[in-house]
Amino acid sequence: MPAMAAAEQPESQEPKQEEWIHVKPKSRFRRNAPRSPPKIPGSALSKLADEPRALKSVADITAEYEVFKTRWRDTPCHAELKKLVEANAEAHRTVRKAVCLGVGTFDPEDGGWDAKRRSYIQLDGFLTIVEVLSALYKESIPCSFQEPRFTPNDTEFLTNLGHKVVKSPAAFEAVDQDTLVFAVHMYRPIYEAALEKASPAMFVGTGWDVWDEFATMKEGDFKCMSDMHDSHKHFPFPQDGTYTTFSSTCLYWRAKTESSTRSEDESAKDASTVVSQKPDEKPTEKPAEEFSEKVSEDKPESKLEGAPS
């Protein structure tokens, strides 16, 4: 019977399991297994670590500063800072020297743009205050910088600008009642070291309100800061757009007292008295022709037309 014949099919004609071929579908997204990075011998790693970092040149630092300076001086932040200083200089204590603490390196190891910009803008904020005051006082204000992260080229850059770079604690020890202390976003021990010797004429840094709200302190802690908050007039520092360059920063400025105003007036009076006591020097007589030439140069002919003949 056909059915029986089918059942009795020889074993050799039946398909064997091992003869089946299984085809696995290929994925279009299959990638080769990632290769492990080549191993660097330990001696080579130590050699790389020992190699000195290539520092940015003084010329490059100077060029970068000029770019950031030009852009920032065209912002509302810079304009508001100038206006703040100009509007309040007459009523507040005179600044005779300036100290900048912890502005940061202008050549960070990771080359981060944000860190560089922050350092350059804080530097120019400090120098803007000094420049405005110098113009108002008609006298120069010497500037000192203290920053442990400065590279040799950072130091040379600032020296080329006409400033002095000092090692700690020289800047702290230089602070007196006629000093501007510029220390943005510093730790409390830095502020305590800067304010320990004297309460400066002007201080730019994190305001007492921020410390009082967020820092854990006991009664009487950080007294140098709380005392300055009581004795000085304080102004919110102009903000740098959306950047945090001057966030939580306050400008403290000691108001002129009656005694300090009187002493400054007396100093000016004494200086004028000394000048008036100098022996009169007889002016050298000049020929009439020379005087007439001077007058004709200073006054146009149109101004002489109405003169009597």
Side-chain angles (χ1 to χ4, degrees):
M1 297 176 61
M4 182 67 69
E8 293 178 356
Q9 188 176 8
E11 184 178 353
S12 60
Q13 296 181 11
E14 293 179 2
K16 296 182 179 179
Q17 184 69 24
E18 59 269 20
E19 292 179 357
W20 289 97
I21 299 174
H22 299 275
V23 180
K24 295 183 179 180
K26 290 186 178 180
S27 172
R28 291 184 303 162
F29 303 101
R30 189 175 181 182
R31 297 287 184 269
N32 294 329
R35 296 180 180 179
S36 57
K39 294 183 178 180
I40 302 176
S43 58
L45 285 173
S46 60
K47 185 178 180 181
L48 289 173
D50 293 339
E51 290 183 359
R53 179 170 70 94
L55 297 177
K56 186 180 298 181
S57 69
V58 177
D60 287 343
I61 295 174
T62 305
E64 274 191 342
Y65 168 61
E66 290 299 329
V67 171
F68 282 109
K69 170 185 173 181
T70 301
R71 292 175 180 172
W72 183 70
R73 292 206 173 193
D74 196 29
T75 65
C77 179
H78 179 262
E80 291 169 14
L81 179 58
K82 282 189 64 177
K83 184 178 179 180
L84 188 158
V85 176
E86 290 170 345
N88 293 279
E90 186 176 354
H92 292 80
R93 193 178 183 98
T94 302
V95 171
R96 304 199 181 278
K97 59 182 174 180
V99 169
C100 182
L101 302 173
V103 73
T105 176
F106 308 108
D107 184 16
E109 289 193 26
D110 61 358
W113 186 87
D114 288 339
K116 284 192 299 185
R117 183 190 184 279
R118 183 167 53 250
S119 292
Y120 283 126
I121 301 306
Q122 288 181 1
L123 165 66
D124 205 51
F126 169 71
L127 294 180
T128 293
I129 296 175
V130 172
E131 289 172 10
V132 173
L133 291 176
S134 296
L136 293 173
Y137 301 155
K138 294 181 173 56
E139 63 182 49
S140 62
I141 298 175
C143 299
S144 299
F145 290 81
Q146 182 175 294
E147 168 57 79
R149 293 177 294 172
F150 277 160
T151 68
N153 291 348
D154 288 334
T155 298
E156 186 176 345
F157 157 66
L158 292 170
T159 303
N160 290 346
L161 293 180
H163 310 306
K164 185 178 180 181
V165 177
V166 299
K167 299 290 186 181
S168 180
F172 301 139
E173 295 173 349
V175 175
D176 60 20
Q177 293 184 346
D178 297 324
T179 305
L180 155 62
V181 175
F182 191 93
V184 177
H185 299 160
M186 293 290 100
Y187 292 112
R188 176 179 158 186
I190 300 298
Y191 288 159
E192 289 177 326
L195 302 175
E196 180 182 16
K197 183 180 176 183
S199 185
M202 183 190 291
F203 173 89
V204 176
T206 305
W208 168 250
D209 289 340
V210 178
W211 291 102
D212 190 37
E213 181 178 357
F214 295 104
T216 303
M217 293 185 293
K218 299 177 183 178
E219 184 70 25
D221 283 353
F222 212 1
K223 192 173 185 301
C224 56
M225 177 64 77
S226 62
D227 286 349
M228 185 175 65
H229 188 76
D230 293 335
S231 62
H232 289 52
K233 182 74 179 293
H234 24 94
F235 307 87
F237 201 91
Q239 291 304 294
D240 183 26
T242 58
Y243 297 98
T244 59
T245 315
F246 301 113
S247 61
S248 304
T249 300
C250 186
L251 188 151
Y252 287 88
W253 205 343
R254 183 188 293 277
K256 280 184 179 177
T257 60
E258 185 178 348
S259 58
S260 65
T261 304
R262 189 185 305 115
S263 63
E264 289 184 5
D265 292 342
E266 289 175 354
S267 298
K269 184 178 179 181
D270 292 342
S272 62
T273 303
V274 171
V275 172
S276 64
Q277 289 176 349
K278 289 184 178 180
D280 294 336
E281 295 180 2
K282 187 176 181 180
T284 305
E285 294 184 0
K286 297 183 180 180
E289 294 83 4
E290 191 171 339
F291 279 108
S292 63
E293 288 177 3
K294 181 69 175 175
V295 171
S296 63
E297 289 174 359
D298 292 343
K299 295 183 179 181
E301 292 182 359
S302 60
K303 291 186 178 181
L304 299 177
E305 289 177 355
S309 57

